[in-house]
Amino acid sequence: MTRNPGALPPLLTSDVDGGTFRLRHASPADLPAIVGLLADDSMGAGRERSEDMAPYERAFAAIDADPSHLLVVGELVPAGAVDGPVVATFQLSFLPGISRQGSWRSQIEGVRVAGSLRGQGIGNVMVQWAIGESRRRGCSMMQLTTHKSRKAAHRFYERLGFAASHEGMKLTL
């Protein structure tokens, strides 16, 4: 069920400095840009490997085939242009649960904005869209994890109303 970015309407458009920011479903052609965004910091640089795209292609196929998961990219479209470069991304997943009276929750992860565009409101636009989509799908909460060392990300999410209410744990397998 690979989506053709030109076949679906944008999820959101917003005027920003330098043109129009447009959110859309990711396509397989976006994978190199997505991996580049994920690798564009000290933590991601140590774990992302663009030399072998096969694992990313398998993950994309699984995400794309499941309506409970969305992989979204943001393009910065210059004035007068039809499209523009991918400058942002995130994944949004919708999870059923028994707790909280059987409520659904959403999980946002892999939120990235190109380093040269951080601080211009693009992350805010993306997360606000994700919050609205989560509400539209009947979720009672949105959750995320962010590494303890990402202090700027913590401030960003707190400004959007997120609270550091739990201590997360991971086990690398």
Side-chain angles (χ1 to χ4, degrees):
M1 168 170 126
T2 299
R3 297 177 181 103
N4 174 352
L8 295 173
L11 300 169
L12 171 136
T13 58
S14 179
D15 291 332
V16 296
D17 288 342
T20 300
F21 180 70
R22 179 169 58 202
L23 280 182
R24 63 172 173 78
H25 291 279
S27 74
D30 297 318
L31 282 174
I34 293 168
V35 173
L37 288 164
L38 293 173
D40 187 27
D41 66 33
S42 59
M43 290 185 70
R47 62 181 176 218
E48 305 302 338
R49 299 282 179 263
S50 61
E51 301 82 35
D52 180 8
M53 293 299 288
Y56 299 104
E57 291 164 355
R58 287 189 298 273
F60 179 89
I63 293 165
D64 195 51
D66 187 338
S68 292
H69 301 280
L70 299 174
L71 184 59
V72 177
V73 294
E75 298 175 306
L76 184 58
V77 183
V82 174
D83 58 16
V86 169
V87 298
T89 190
F90 66 91
Q91 182 176 337
L92 187 60
S93 298
F94 302 96
L95 311 167
I98 296 298
S99 67
R100 294 179 174 260
Q101 301 175 11
S103 69
W104 282 72
R105 66 186 66 206
S106 64
Q107 180 156 326
I108 190 168
E109 55 189 89
V111 178
R112 298 292 192 281
V113 175
S116 63
L117 298 173
R118 290 182 195 141
Q120 297 184 26
I122 289 173
N124 181 56
V125 168
M126 291 192 320
V127 174
Q128 292 298 338
W129 180 86
I131 291 168
E133 181 65 9
S134 298
R135 284 188 177 122
R136 188 186 75 75
R137 291 192 184 210
C139 295
S140 67
M141 73 164 31
M142 176 182 271
Q143 62 190 26
L144 61 86
T145 59
T146 181
H147 196 273
K148 290 181 178 188
S149 67
R150 295 183 187 268
K151 301 301 182 192
H154 300 174
R155 290 189 301 274
F156 168 72
Y157 291 118
E158 288 168 354
R159 280 194 306 270
L160 294 174
F162 288 83
S165 61
H166 291 69
E167 184 76 19
M169 301 177 94
K170 293 185 180 184
L171 172 66
T172 301
L173 304 176

